[in-house]
Amino acid sequence: MASSSHPSFPPRSYGGNLGKLPDRSLGAAFGSSTQQQREKERQERERERLEKERIEREDQSQLTEEQREEIKEAFTLFDLDKDNKIDYHELKVAMKALGFDLPKAEILAILQTHGAPSAPPTSNAPHQSRLLLPFAQFQMIMSQRIIARDPREEVLRAFELFDEGGKGTINLQDLRRVARELGEGLEEDELAAMIDEFDLDGDGAINREEFLGICLQ
């Protein structure tokens, strides 16, 4: 009677790597390296942020109390809807009030760099809304610009406030007007004495160079 057992088959020989699971240590090492890189980038961003804040504090500490108040007043005056943010037109006139009459391209560049959209894009309004500049950014930008400004420019800007009509000199009538606007009760002879003291060329008025000499001496 023939045997009912099945014939045995010779064992198959497979390549050493066939059927071998991937080396998980490689994936773990790659993941660890990526995580370390992300952490390094995060630390670098944090260092940059802290350095930026330090520079901003130093810039603002170099301003006088009067200059800081001028920045705040200019922003508050032109923040028409009082949301502590200003748009392109408000930024332009606020900077002009502080003595910086910038072209459109520079104003837009400031908003692109430091501004934030008034509302995030939605499915109904996919395009970015207008950019707004918060007070903290305005304060930082104006502090840097005021510190970098030539002192002569500051003095000449003050000269223009005295020089009514842009005639190039400050006369007794100009001093009288400014004293009245500031509420200073100066007598006529006191105003005339101020002109006489600083009028080096004897023309009865103070010109730009004489005014610079008064303020920068």
Side-chain angles (χ1 to χ4, degrees):
M1 185 174 179
S3 173
S4 61
S5 61
H6 297 288
S8 61
F9 295 97
R12 295 183 180 181
S13 175
Y14 296 98
N17 294 328
L18 213 69
K20 184 179 180 182
L21 292 174
D23 189 348
R24 294 184 178 182
S25 63
L26 293 176
F30 179 76
S32 175
S33 175
T34 303
Q35 186 175 2
Q36 289 175 358
Q37 180 63 26
R38 288 177 179 171
E39 178 62 18
K40 184 178 179 181
E41 291 173 356
R42 187 194 66 78
Q43 291 176 354
E44 183 63 26
R45 287 195 300 270
E46 182 66 11
R47 279 195 295 270
E48 290 176 357
R49 184 184 67 81
L50 293 173
E51 178 65 12
K52 183 180 178 181
E53 289 181 355
R54 183 187 66 79
I55 293 172
E56 289 173 9
R57 287 194 298 270
E58 288 183 357
D59 287 342
Q60 292 181 28
S61 68
Q62 294 179 51
L63 297 178
T64 65
E65 185 61 36
E66 183 180 0
Q67 288 171 325
R68 284 194 288 270
E69 191 60 32
E70 283 181 355
I71 292 173
K72 184 178 179 181
E73 286 179 0
F75 185 93
T76 303
L77 179 62
F78 296 106
D79 178 17
L80 301 180
D81 51 6
K82 305 305 176 188
D83 62 351
N84 211 38
K85 301 181 183 69
I86 52 178
D87 62 15
Y88 167 83
H89 299 287
E90 293 166 340
L91 174 59
K92 184 172 179 62
V93 292
M95 293 190 72
K96 187 173 183 179
L98 292 169
F100 299 93
D101 191 5
L102 273 59
K104 181 178 180 178
E106 287 191 46
I107 298 290
L108 290 174
I110 290 173
L111 286 170
Q112 289 288 344
T113 305
H114 303 283
S118 57
T122 64
S123 57
N124 295 329
H127 300 292
Q128 187 182 62
S129 58
R130 63 187 181 134
L131 293 170
L132 301 176
L133 189 72
F135 173 70
Q137 299 301 104
F138 178 81
Q139 186 180 44
M140 175 198 71
I141 293 165
M142 297 316 303
S143 297
Q144 293 171 347
R145 287 179 175 268
I146 288 173
I147 291 168
R149 182 161 51 190
D150 185 346
R152 287 175 60 93
E153 291 182 13
E154 188 80 7
V155 172
L156 292 176
R157 189 164 72 93
F159 180 87
E160 291 172 0
L161 298 176
F162 282 87
D163 177 19
E164 189 174 36
K167 56 191 177 299
T169 59
I170 300 172
N171 57 28
L172 184 59
Q173 183 179 349
D174 293 323
L175 285 184
R176 190 185 302 121
R177 173 182 56 81
V178 172
R180 184 173 62 252
E181 290 174 354
L182 295 176
E184 298 287 344
L186 296 175
E187 299 293 334
E188 192 77 7
D189 58 345
E190 292 179 290
L191 295 173
M194 292 171 65
I195 295 288
D196 292 339
E197 182 178 358
F198 299 108
D199 175 20
L200 302 180
D201 57 9
D203 64 351
I206 300 172
N207 60 36
R208 284 187 176 84
E209 290 305 316
E210 290 167 341
F211 192 78
L212 283 167
I214 296 169
C215 298
L216 299 179
Q217 65 183 358

